[in-house]
């Protein structure tokens, strides 16, 4: 007899496991402060150089966080979702259909 758990993981975050897509998300911090996270960048790119370009172009601070499930995730201070999206398209890092803004 199998029981149904209504609070079990429903798989909402299943898009995290998809390879090939770049996910740009925003996380709310305290008050008006936000973080923009970028994950799923191709492994042949140097995340430190990309972060340096982001920081210079967007005039913000940022860091690279090593996550067990997601790998290397770039965090930027502030809401830079559209700027990151345009940056990735302009420098031909990814095509428009491979970038997902959440």
């Amino acid at each position: 007899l199998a029981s149904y758990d209504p609070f079990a993981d429903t798989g909402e975050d299943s898009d995290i496991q998809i390879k090939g897509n770049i996910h740009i998300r925003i996380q709310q911090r305290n008050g008006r402060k936000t973080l923009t996270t970028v994950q799923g960048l191709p492994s042949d790119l140097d995340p430190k150089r990309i972060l340096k370009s982001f920081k210079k172009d967007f005039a913000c601070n940022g860091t690279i966080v090593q996550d067990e499930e997601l790998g290397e995730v770039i965090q930027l201070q502030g809401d830079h979702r559209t700027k990151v999206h345009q940056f990735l398209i302009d420098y031909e890092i990814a095509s428009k259909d491979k970038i997902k803004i959440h």
Side-chain angles (χ1 to χ4, degrees), residues 30-94:
N30 48 359
R32 295 174 45 201
K33 309 290 184 185
T34 56
L35 279 178
T36 303
T37 60
V38 182
Q39 67 189 44
L41 290 171
S43 58
D44 59 338
L45 297 175
D46 185 13
K48 291 181 182 178
R49 291 180 63 198
I50 294 175
L51 176 64
K52 188 173 182 178
S53 298
F54 282 165
K55 289 165 64 171
K56 185 176 179 183
D57 290 354
F58 308 152
C60 67
N61 200 3
T63 186
I64 299 174
V65 177
Q66 187 67 34
D67 190 85
E68 293 176 5
E69 297 176 13
L70 308 174
E72 291 182 330
V73 178
I74 295 178
Q75 289 184 342
L76 301 170
Q77 290 181 355
D79 185 2
H80 301 287
R81 291 176 290 185
T82 55
K83 294 177 189 175
V84 170
H85 183 260
Q86 195 60 43
F87 180 93
L88 295 174
I89 293 171
D90 288 346
Y91 287 97
E92 299 176 355
I93 295 173

